[in-house]
Amino acid sequence: ARFAELKEKDLQEDRNQNRSYVDVDKQEAILVDTHLSAGNVYLVAGDPIKAEANWLRGIQICSGDVTCRQALAALYESQKRWRSAATTVSELVILMPNDLSLWLQLAGLQSRLGQLGEAEAAYRRAIAIEPKSASAYVALLRMSLQVDRVLPDGVSLARNAVELAPSPDTHVLLSTILEQSGDREGAFAAIGEALRLAPNHPQLQKMHQQLQKNR
């Protein structure tokens, strides 16, 4: 009799819980999606301030949300708010650590902000995630040339870029890195390969002639 009484009590508690059950995760997802959509509408209507407010609210509702952060990052970049964009993308790479495009985006933003060490680390993380992505090698090398930052493995990185995506651009990049390292013969050979792929390109012809004089 005592067992039956306790069992009935447990069953009644279960029934009460079922009646009061609220799917919080589902409600959060609906609210976040609503704020994402509202932000998109405001942005199209020409009100980026309210768009930003809605997307920020979406993140407040669900700290792990990706979609509102992606919308915010795009907004900040369009407004040239590089620091805010970098902060938002930094949060995104924590949520999606194996997303190659996010690491490239973060590296580009950090480079704009003069955070060269962080940018290099982000580019190298992108390379580690996808070693066969020529874009990551090219982006890192171009940044190093733009800011005159010598990479100890620059020649190796440039050769990988050429191997993965042989083109006039990657051969020119390799030539530039080789010349920077003091290998003029290698630089001349690389620009020759670029010219072979685009024989009528006037700039390549000029570079080839210049390197030939400097050999």
Side-chain angles (χ1 to χ4, degrees), residues 90-115:
S90 295
E91 294 171 359
L92 281 169
V93 296
I94 294 173
L95 296 170
M96 297 188 291
N98 295 318
D99 191 306
L100 173 68
S101 63
L102 282 177
W103 283 105
L104 291 176
Q105 185 181 8
L106 177 60
L109 291 166
Q110 290 171 330
S111 178
R112 281 183 176 276
L113 292 168
Q115 300 169 354

Side-chain angles (χ1 to χ4, degrees), residues 181-197:
S181 70
D183 185 357
R184 291 183 175 178
E185 285 297 324
F188 179 71
I191 208 67
E193 281 299 305
L195 191 58
R196 184 182 64 80
L197 294 172

